[in-house]
Amino acid sequence: ARELNSAAYRSVITQQFGSWNEPEQQRQFGEKWARGQYQLVSLAGERVGVLWTTLETDHLFVNELLILPERQGSGIGAQVMSDLLRDATDRNLPVRLRVLIRNRARTLYERLGFKTDAVTSTHFLMTWTP
């Protein structure tokens, strides 16, 4: 998971912030990993990503969806999110997430029906409603 985090984020972090600070990124990963309950994403027995969601009282929050860079664009993230949206529909809950401004995953979320609620200096805050 630590290697996946670096592989998945290095490019977008460098594009958005100008550099990749390895010690800082490892510190942030450690904090996320300690508090998150990640699920492995597998395809035909191969580990291709991780998903971390939190069920809140009034919504489902996607903390993180990471797919191996060499597997991105192949529909894996769309399938994971579609499954998640079906679950949210069954619960009649909206799904919320935040995505870095320079992260191309935003286009996936928009295709799936997420709308931008707000923009911070670093992220788009998005919601999907069943």
Side-chain angles (χ1 to χ4, degrees), residues 72-87:
Q72 292 174 6
S74 65
I76 297 167
Q79 184 61 56
V80 169
M81 289 301 296
S82 292
D83 292 346
L84 190 85
L85 297 180
R86 273 193 296 282
D87 182 50

Side-chain angles (χ1 to χ4, degrees), residues 2-89:
R2 187 177 296 276
E3 290 173 14
L4 171 59
N5 185 75
S6 293
Y9 276 126
R10 184 179 299 270
S11 176
V12 71
I13 293 291
T14 301
Q15 288 175 24
Q16 185 160 326
F17 299 104
S19 66
W20 176 267
N21 180 320
E22 186 67 29
E24 176 60 17
Q25 293 302 319
Q26 292 303 325
R27 183 193 66 73
Q28 288 180 20
F29 173 83
E31 287 178 3
K32 288 189 302 188
W33 190 259
R35 70 177 191 267
Q37 293 185 350
Y38 286 83
Q39 300 171 6
L40 290 175
V41 176
S42 298
L43 180 65
E46 176 191 1
R47 293 180 182 158
V48 295
V50 293
L51 173 67
W52 170 25
T53 61
T54 306
L55 180 60
E56 303 292 345
T57 57
D58 64 344
H59 69 280
L60 182 63
F61 190 80
V62 178
N63 297 283
E64 196 138 53
L65 172 59
L66 297 175
I67 304 296
L68 287 169
E70 61 270 18
R71 303 296 247 143
Q72 292 174 6
S74 65
I76 297 167
Q79 184 61 56
V80 169
M81 289 301 296
S82 292
D83 292 346
L84 190 85
L85 297 180
R86 273 193 296 282
D87 182 50
T89 298

